[in-house]
Amino acid sequence: MAATGPDAVYAALSADDEEVQRPMEIESMCMQCEENGVTRLMCVRIPYYKAVILMSFECPHCGFHNNEIQSGEACQEHGTEIVLKVKEQADLRRQLVKSEYASIEVPEVELVIPAKSQPAEVTTVEGVLERVTSALQSEQDRRRLIDAESATKIDEFCAKLNRLRELEEPWTLKLHDPTGNCFIQNPDPLHVDPRCIVSHYHRDLEETKLLGLADDDATESTDNDDPVAEEWKSYDEVKHEILHFDTDCPNCAAPVKTLMKPTDIPYFDTVIVMATTCDRCGLKTNEVKAGGAFREQGCKIEVTIEEPVDLARDVLKSDTCGLSIPALDLEVGSGALSSRFTTIEGLLNATKEQIEQQSKFFIGDSASSDEKTNLAALFQAFDDIVSLKRKDITIVLDDPAGNSYVQSLTAPLDDNRLVKTFYTRTFEQDDELGINDMKVENYGELDGIQEEDEENEEQIIA
């Protein structure tokens, strides 16, 4: 029986199944010579992205040809902005998908490609520069005869684009698409892309009109009939802003500004990143706070280090999280390391540095040779773990508040080197977190007891 539904229309790109990948051919009129040409359509699903419709037209009479791409998905709830830092040849080969409503910007050369100036397409990062260069060079011969000065400036600009393609210096590509259907390929989709930032935003009225989702004469609504939508809009706007707070430097007491920004961790939660820099004494601090409340259960995370990719896992360690390495008989309490968002390797290096700083106070000239030898062996063990000379080492993060996180390499599937265990907190753990002292219900009873105690106290005094 033939397959039905969306999957029957949109097939994954494959070189093995020619029958599925055969395009549909439709006779259509050429817009150049008004003769009949052939339009070819193929509906495909791009891996780790969405469904798209590839279209190609060719006229055998005048030779005119054109190709275009349209999204097979509906407009997303929010627009998407992708910022890519291009540093290597692999970045130039990244696949890029954009709709006709997308705009592209390269700040280093002040290049802006506005929306609807180009058709939707599937290309590469290098292909974006090639298309701009080709379009500018197409009329240069005629332009040199009419306006030699403008032709010279265009030649200089094309030379700048060629330098970007040669990667003489890193450059930035910004892709802004109000449809939310843009895409830049991640070379390693199982891990966070270190040079690509994807963010989502709330479309303004002009972009909504551009997509045809609002009437051309529509205006901004000022009523508050939908408080939930208003709350979500304000929260979404805050997530894309860096907030500034005036405070004092903890080292020299000089006035400084603390920067704070909420950010979303995939498959986890929202966290708040804070950073402070003092221009007077040079102190730099950064801290990460959980954006939510204490979880109903504590969480114990065990990650085994076997490959280099394990050292690159993202880690969020909260203030309430303790760390232990059973193979080294090492246990670090929750207060030893401040909250931070780092990697497994960064967490190991921070733990080593913390021990080295503390050892200066309790390991001096009077210390025994055994104490110094044990400490040196511990530092060497940290170096062996980071260099993967010692494998099958397990790092345990125990957070009673449940607000710590270690990146999974196979999310949302199970990771065989990452084990999460949820448990019920003990009375002592709730007491350390201050949960036992929280009273969130039956306030009327508390008020009545307090009034009765005050009356008894007045009678005793009388």
Side-chain angles (χ1 to χ4, degrees):
M1 182 179 294
T4 58
D7 292 336
V9 178
Y10 298 97
L13 286 173
S14 173
D16 300 328
D17 195 345
E18 298 181 358
E19 191 67 27
V20 174
Q21 298 301 319
R22 182 176 300 171
M24 296 179 290
E25 296 186 357
I26 303 173
E27 186 177 4
S28 52
M29 186 183 72
C30 175
M31 303 302 296
Q32 196 82 357
C33 66
E34 298 186 357
E35 296 288 344
N36 286 338
V38 178
T39 297
R40 293 177 175 85
L41 299 176
M42 187 166 65
C43 304
V44 298
R45 191 173 297 277
I46 298 178
Y48 304 104
Y49 183 52
K50 300 171 183 176
V52 297
I53 303 174
L54 302 178
M55 295 179 290
S56 174
F57 174 81
E58 184 176 1
C59 178
H61 302 282
C62 66
F64 176 74
H65 63 275
N66 184 30
N67 57 76
E68 191 176 341
I69 178 177
Q70 288 189 3
S71 174
E73 308 281 349
C75 288
Q76 304 302 307
E77 183 179 359
H78 296 90
T80 299
E81 184 174 81
I82 305 178
V83 180
L84 172 66
K85 195 70 175 180
V86 182
K87 293 184 178 180
E88 302 176 356
Q89 286 292 333
D91 295 325
L92 293 174
R93 296 191 294 269
R94 290 175 185 245
Q95 190 179 49
L96 182 147
V97 181
K98 74 177 190 69
S99 72
E100 61 178 316
Y101 302 99
S103 61
I104 296 178
E105 180 182 358
V106 181
E108 286 78 4
V109 294
E110 298 182 355
L111 170 65
V112 178
I113 304 175
K116 303 204 72 174
S117 61
Q118 293 182 349
E121 62 179 343
V122 177
T123 181
T124 61
V125 173
E126 184 178 14
V128 173
L129 300 182
E130 289 179 350
R131 182 161 187 163
V132 174
T133 303
S134 176
L136 292 175
Q137 293 288 353
S138 61
E139 299 291 333
Q140 277 295 83
D141 293 337
R142 186 175 63 87
R143 194 178 289 114
R144 289 188 179 94
L145 299 175
I146 301 175
D147 190 350
E149 183 179 355
S150 297
T152 302
K153 292 181 179 179
I154 290 177
D155 286 334
E156 293 175 353
F157 185 77
C158 291
K160 293 180 181 179
L161 296 181
N162 290 331
R163 286 195 292 271
L164 295 184
R165 292 169 57 185
E166 296 297 330
L167 293 179
E168 294 184 5
E169 61 181 17
W171 55 280
T172 305
L173 176 71
K174 295 183 179 181
L175 180 59
H176 185 95
D177 195 337
T179 68
N181 289 324
C182 61
F183 168 77
I184 293 182
Q185 178 190 11
N186 181 0
D188 189 0
L190 297 181
H191 303 93
V192 176
D193 196 332
R195 292 190 294 275
C196 189
I197 301 175
V198 181
S199 58
H200 304 280
Y201 66 93
H202 187 83
R203 284 187 290 265
D204 57 23
L205 182 60
E206 292 302 320
E207 290 181 333
T208 305
K209 291 180 179 180
L210 178 67
L211 299 179
L213 301 178
D215 295 334
D216 293 339
D217 55 353
T219 57
E220 291 284 357
S221 176
T222 57
D223 56 76
N224 296 323
D225 293 339
D226 191 359
V228 176
E230 291 297 325
E231 180 181 356
W232 165 252
K233 179 178 178 180
S234 61
Y235 174 69
D236 190 75
E237 291 173 350
V238 167
K239 287 175 62 176
H240 293 85
E241 295 179 358
I242 299 179
L243 306 180
H244 300 251
F245 297 95
D246 293 325
T247 183
D248 294 331
C249 175
N251 189 40
C252 66
V256 296
K257 287 187 177 294
T258 296
L259 308 182
M260 186 189 80
K261 183 180 186 302
T263 186
D264 293 331
I265 297 180
Y267 303 105
F268 184 57
D269 204 349
T270 300
V271 298
I272 300 174
V273 182
M274 295 180 289
T276 304
T277 301
C278 181
D279 295 332
R280 177 183 293 181
C281 67
L283 177 69
K284 294 182 178 180
T285 64
N286 58 78
E287 196 171 1
V288 179
K289 295 290 187 181
F294 291 163
R295 305 299 178 93
E296 294 182 358
Q297 291 181 311
C299 182
K300 183 178 181 181
I301 306 175
E302 299 174 75
V303 55
T304 302
I305 301 176
E306 294 182 358
E307 299 178 5
V309 69
D310 293 319
L311 293 172
R313 293 176 186 258
D314 290 335
V315 177
L316 171 64
K317 179 196 173 298
S318 71
D319 285 327
T320 58
C321 180
L323 179 146
S324 63
I325 305 178
L328 304 183
D329 196 21
L330 174 68
E331 184 173 356
V332 180
S334 58
L337 292 173
S338 62
S339 60
R340 62 188 65 206
F341 186 70
T342 179
T343 61
I344 290 290
E345 182 178 0
L347 189 62
L348 290 172
N349 290 333
T351 304
K352 178 185 174 183
E353 293 174 2
Q354 185 80 4
I355 297 175
E356 286 178 339
Q357 293 177 359
Q358 294 178 354
S359 65
K360 296 177 182 179
F361 297 96
F362 61 84
I363 300 293
D365 295 336
S366 60
S368 64
S369 58
D370 291 338
E371 291 176 334
K372 294 182 179 180
T373 302
N374 293 337
L375 198 60
L378 179 62
F379 293 155
Q380 184 61 44
F382 274 100
D383 294 336
D384 292 343
I385 295 174
V386 172
S387 61
L388 291 179
K389 293 181 180 178
R390 293 188 62 173
K391 296 186 178 181
D392 297 330
I393 297 294
T394 300
I395 297 178
V396 180
L397 296 175
D398 191 351
D399 189 354
N403 287 328
S404 294
Y405 160 85
V406 176
Q407 178 191 7
S408 172
L409 303 180
T410 58
L413 304 178
D414 293 335
D415 190 336
N416 58 1
R417 295 198 295 274
L418 180 66
V419 179
K420 294 183 180 180
T421 305
F422 297 93
Y423 61 88
T424 302
R425 286 185 292 266
T426 63
F427 180 87
E428 289 75 17
Q429 289 174 326
D430 283 340
D431 198 49
E432 290 178 359
L433 298 175
I435 297 178
N436 293 335
D437 297 329
M438 296 180 183
K439 186 68 176 177
V440 295
E441 56 186 6
N442 298 328
Y443 285 106
E445 296 180 4
L446 290 177
D447 293 339
I449 295 174
Q450 184 177 3
E451 292 175 359
E452 184 178 351
D453 290 341
E454 291 176 353
E455 291 177 359
N456 294 336
E457 185 177 359
E458 291 175 357
Q459 293 178 359
I460 292 174
I461 295 176

